[in-house]
Amino acid sequence: MSGPLRHIALTVEKTGTGAFHWLLIESAGGRLFVLERAATKFSTYLRALQAGFEHLALLSASGLHERGLEYTPGAETYRQPAEMIE
């Protein structure tokens, strides 16, 4: 590994409509940021969790731990700290 580990967590949220979506959250500088959010909603918590895990695994295999992600306003994927969690 060429750099420090990134502190990334996978979580699932339930929307007001009863659907679920996954989020990747990163801790950096003592703050939490939404790194990436699912564009698709899922009917169950487990399906959202499985999809989020698969996505995180793909990002890890592509070298996520060795590089930062570029933020593009309005992009649904590859966000680097775009949305801070209060």
Side-chain angles (χ1 to χ4, degrees):
M1 181 177 351
S2 63
L5 292 175
R6 294 177 68 181
H7 301 279
I8 299 172
L10 168 63
T11 190
V12 174
E13 289 185 338
K14 187 174 184 180
T15 67
T17 61
F20 297 87
H21 63 269
W22 57 260
L23 293 96
L24 295 180
I25 297 172
E26 181 167 26
S27 172
R31 301 170 105 174
L32 295 175
F33 298 91
V34 174
L35 182 66
E36 195 164 343
R37 178 188 311 271
T40 304
K41 293 189 170 119
F42 299 88
S43 60
T44 67
Y45 178 93
L46 183 57
R47 287 178 192 229
L49 183 64
Q50 288 172 326
F53 179 78
E54 289 171 7
H55 189 78
L56 180 58
L58 288 173
L59 289 177
S60 293
S62 71
L64 171 70
H65 63 282
E66 296 176 354
R67 61 180 165 78
L69 297 178
E70 293 182 13
Y71 170 59
T72 303
E76 287 302 315
T77 60
Y78 296 100
R79 294 184 180 194
Q80 174 61 31
E83 182 182 335
M84 188 176 77
I85 298 173
E86 302 285 337

